Amino acid sequence: MSDHNHEKLGFWRKYIFSTDHKVIGLQYGITGSFFLFFGFCLMMLMRWQLAYPGQPLPFVGNLLGESNMPMGYMLPEFYNALGAMHGTIMVFLAIVPLIFGAFGNYIVPLQIGAPDMAFPKLNAISYWCYLLGGVVMVASFWAPGGAANSGWTSYAPLSVTATIGQTYWLFGMVLLITSSLLGSVNFITTVVQLRAEGMTWFRLPFFVWAQLVTAFLLLLAFPPLEAAGVLQLMDRLAGTSFFMPSGLVVGGEALGISGGGSPLLWQHLFWFLAHPEVYVLILPALGIVTEIIANNTRKPLYGYKIMIYSILFLGFLSFIVWAHHMYLTGMGTTVSTFFQTTTLIISIPSVVIITTLFITLWGGSIRFNTPMLFALGFLPMFGIGGLTGLPLAFNATDIPLHDTYYVIGHFHYVVAPGTIFALFAGVYYWFPKITGRHMSEVLGKTHFWASILFMNGIFMPMFIQGMAGVSRRLYDGGATYELAQGVLHWNEFMSISAWLLALAQIPFLINLFWSPFKGKKANDNPWEATTLEWSTPTPPPHGNFLEAPKVYRGPYEYSVPGSSKDYSPQSQKEI
């Protein structure tokens, strides 16, 4: 398994068209980070419009084109496009590729003792499908009529009659789904077939379990949306009417379609994916946070098997809660009661996992380094996201809150200070293994405290506006709504917080680009961790391990009585 027996690869084969899981993981990471930045920029444009409706956008207003920003003023159609593309880019082009594609590709084979993924070429094809899908989606901004503007959910029939940007969106989505399906098959096969000798199922790190369940969610939930995307493309391009009902009138003229389609069918197919998608975002994040908390408390992870059973149960339940997004469609009381019940039940395994992490902290000799701060910050932020979701589980309370800023606040607490904090924690934690150098603790802690402050400044007031009934879809932030006048002043506060959050990322960017060259040098196991990835050379060579690893114990054996040190690596035979 040594690197010496492999042919020397040129630049293009080594870094661009690579089949090495580590390089592909970094490709996902770099590309996903670009899309994360781009999606964040779209949000900052929207925040200007909400804070100062009717005022021209400074600096960049005239650069966005006369069709979008005449005289620097934002048109409602362009605001809708920003909203649709912000949601799509952040979920499908940024968070999922980063949390699953980047961290999963780089870390999972190392943690199970594998030399690579099971299907290296399939892995490369998965990345290139993702990149092509992203390019197609972003290119829609330059299409006639602008980018897709029917929301990130692409609800029919609006999306079928929308501008050509919606066609770009659908082609991009089909490519992204194909990428995820190829990747999920690869992850499942890798974990099942390529575990090192002695790596039994209950010796797998929790991060690997989280990625495995996530792969099954993608494999089972994405095909219905891919089929739906193809059907909607046919509605747009081939004159079919899978989602187009009879008697539609657009612009004063009746549409010449056969009719008989169902807009609700699109919602069912979309949300059958999109609720498991929430756990695609959060399960790998929980995996990252668990690794870091276990390592920095210097004690065994509490309830390891309970946590595994919880995510398996959570993954199963995530397929039978989707219609709680559809209470406004007029479903009967029996059906709504079923989905209310399953939605409440699915909160139980999430609470179990969070509780076990809090119990793990109890009595630990905690090291408050930068990865640990982000992992600890994740816990209350994800908790707020989960608790605020409970009122949305009930038909009676969801109906007045539906499509208000309350829903935006709830979802973003799960994804922004939730999943993105886990991403940052993972970057700081595994950076020494990837580069051989530590990131700066001073810059890292500055980044953490500024980020947690301004993220709460953005999203906490959304609950206030949502409880007042302010719709998430209003391009002027509700300025024309009498009911919104008492809470509109929060728009400026949230927007300033968003721009300050952008500034708070400067220490991270300096750290990210400075540390690989000037950071403190790291040994092979700088955190004194127990899992297999820390037993490889730093950075890991092609093939990962100098000799085939053998596993003798569980993943979190810290502070074992009788041991000569406070940790026992999985590959160490004697304690």
Side-chain angles (χ1 to χ4, degrees):
M1 299 178 71
S2 171
D3 192 35
H4 302 300
N5 297 326
H6 295 276
E7 64 171 307
K8 295 296 180 182
L9 301 177
F11 174 84
W12 287 95
R13 288 180 63 193
K14 187 173 182 180
Y15 296 109
I16 307 300
F17 299 108
S18 176
T19 56
D20 187 324
H21 73 98
K22 298 181 294 298
V23 175
I24 293 172
L26 292 173
Q27 288 176 328
Y28 268 110
I30 293 167
T31 310
S33 298
F34 166 78
F35 285 122
L36 186 70
F37 172 74
F38 184 66
F40 187 74
C41 290
L42 299 185
M43 179 274 289
M44 289 194 288
L45 295 177
M46 296 170 69
R47 290 287 356 152
W48 172 270
Q49 173 62 20
L50 293 171
Y52 309 111
Q55 296 187 32
L57 191 70
F59 309 120
V60 298
N62 292 326
L63 300 177
L64 297 173
E66 194 68 19
S67 60
N68 296 320
M69 305 280 293
M71 305 299 290
Y73 294 91
M74 187 177 295
L75 294 177
E77 294 83 1
F78 185 56
Y79 178 85
N80 284 342
L82 291 176
M85 294 303 291
H86 166 73
T88 303
I89 288 169
M90 288 305 217
V91 173
F92 295 107
L93 290 173
I95 307 297
V96 173
L98 285 169
I99 204 84
F100 184 69
F103 280 99
N105 261 300
Y106 201 102
I107 303 301
V108 166
L110 295 175
Q111 285 198 331
I112 66 173
D116 205 324
M117 297 289 279
F119 307 115
K121 290 183 179 179
L122 200 68
N123 207 15
I125 294 170
S126 173
Y127 168 74
W128 287 104
C129 284
Y130 155 64
L131 179 62
L132 182 59
V135 169
V136 169
M137 278 203 172
V138 172
S140 68
F141 277 99
W142 289 271
N149 57 10
S150 302
W152 79 281
T153 56
S154 190
Y155 275 6
L158 176 65
S159 56
V160 180
T161 60
T163 58
I164 194 174
Q166 200 71 36
T167 302
Y168 282 70
W169 188 94
L170 289 164
F171 274 117
M173 188 60 69
V174 169
L175 286 165
L176 293 174
I177 294 171
T178 301
S179 166
S180 293
L181 292 176
L182 295 176
S184 59
V185 168
N186 211 350
F187 272 91
I188 293 167
T189 309
T190 300
V191 175
V192 171
Q193 295 289 348
L194 296 188
R195 286 171 287 131
E197 183 182 354
M199 181 64 82
T200 60
W201 286 105
F202 286 114
R203 286 179 177 173
L204 287 174
F206 185 73
F207 177 76
V208 177
W209 274 106
Q211 293 282 355
L212 180 63
V213 174
T214 300
F216 273 106
L217 296 185
L218 290 170
L219 184 66
L220 298 175
F222 254 140
L225 184 60
E226 183 151 33
V230 172
L231 296 181
Q232 193 174 107
L233 273 171
M234 292 177 68
D235 278 7
R236 288 184 58 85
L237 302 176
T240 59
S241 54
F242 292 105
F243 307 117
M244 300 292 281
S246 302
L248 274 182
V249 176
V250 178
E253 295 185 9
L255 291 185
I257 55 173
S258 58
S262 171
L264 287 186
L265 175 59
W266 169 266
Q267 291 194 35
H268 280 293
L269 293 171
F270 181 87
W271 288 115
F272 187 78
L273 155 86
H275 203 86
E277 181 78 7
V278 173
Y279 298 101
V280 170
L281 302 173
I282 207 63
L283 288 183
L286 286 167
I288 292 172
V289 167
T290 300
E291 297 296 314
I292 294 168
I293 287 179
N295 175 260
N296 285 295
T297 52
R298 312 310 294 169
K299 55 181 286 200
L301 182 67
Y302 180 86
Y304 167 75
K305 288 187 178 181
I306 296 172
M307 293 177 72
I308 291 171
Y309 293 136
S310 293
I311 61 167
L312 291 171
F313 183 52
L314 193 151
F316 167 73
L317 276 178
S318 69
F319 288 99
I320 50 175
V321 297
W322 80 88
H324 67 217
H325 295 275
M326 300 172 57
Y327 288 142
L328 262 66
T329 60
M331 65 178 66
T333 54
T334 303
V335 175
S336 65
T337 300
F338 171 80
F339 284 104
Q340 285 172 176
T341 306
T342 56
T343 304
L344 290 173
I345 292 173
I346 204 173
S347 66
I348 296 173
S350 301
V351 172
V352 169
I353 294 169
I354 293 295
T355 303
T356 57
L357 291 176
F358 275 115
I359 296 173
T360 299
L361 294 170
W362 182 263
S365 180
I366 300 175
R367 305 184 303 197
F368 290 100
N369 49 42
T370 303
M372 189 61 167
L373 287 178
F374 274 101
L376 292 174
F378 168 90
L379 297 178
M381 298 298 99
F382 177 66
I384 292 172
L387 286 172
T388 53
L390 290 177
L392 302 175
F394 294 98
N395 190 316
T397 47
D398 176 76
I399 288 175
L401 292 174
H402 188 86
D403 250 0
T404 68
Y405 272 100
Y406 184 95
V407 178
I408 301 293
H410 152 66
F411 178 71
H412 280 78
Y413 260 101
V414 173
V415 177
T419 303
I420 292 179
F421 267 26
L423 282 170
F424 283 133
V427 170
Y428 284 104
Y429 183 64
W430 279 298
F431 189 86
K433 176 54 64 177
I434 296 170
T435 66
R437 292 182 183 267
H438 286 278
M439 298 181 82
S440 164
E441 283 289 303
V442 173
L443 288 173
K445 290 175 179 177
T446 303
H447 175 220
F448 168 74
W449 289 111
S451 293
I452 198 168
L453 175 65
F454 297 131
M455 276 197 178
N456 281 285
I458 298 170
F459 302 118
M460 189 61 74
M462 290 184 178
F463 296 125
I464 300 171
Q465 290 193 332
M467 295 291 282
V470 179
S471 172
R472 62 193 281 195
R473 305 289 182 185
L474 304 176
Y475 100 108
D476 61 358
T480 55
Y481 275 44
E482 184 64 32
L483 61 87
Q485 300 308 308
V487 295
L488 283 189
H489 62 277
W490 286 109
N491 278 332
E492 185 174 13
F493 178 85
M494 289 187 286
S495 295
I496 292 172
S497 296
W499 302 324
L500 290 174
L501 178 64
L503 295 178
Q505 306 316 301
I506 293 175
F508 172 72
L509 293 174
I510 295 172
N511 213 349
L512 188 66
F513 292 107
W514 176 82
S515 297
F517 307 101
K518 300 293 184 180
K520 176 185 173 184
K521 287 189 177 180
N523 59 34
D524 288 345
N525 190 3
W527 305 113
E528 297 183 326
T530 55
T531 46
L532 279 184
E533 77 268 30
W534 303 104
S535 64
T536 70
T538 300
H542 188 75
N544 298 336
F545 298 89
L546 298 181
E547 58 183 42
K550 200 170 182 179
V551 176
Y552 297 96
R553 57 183 51 84
Y556 306 114
E557 297 204 5
Y558 293 99
S559 303
V560 179
S563 176
S564 59
K565 49 189 178 182
D566 75 341
Y567 69 103
S568 301
Q570 286 186 283
S571 57
Q572 180 178 306
K573 188 172 184 178
E574 301 295 335
I575 295 181

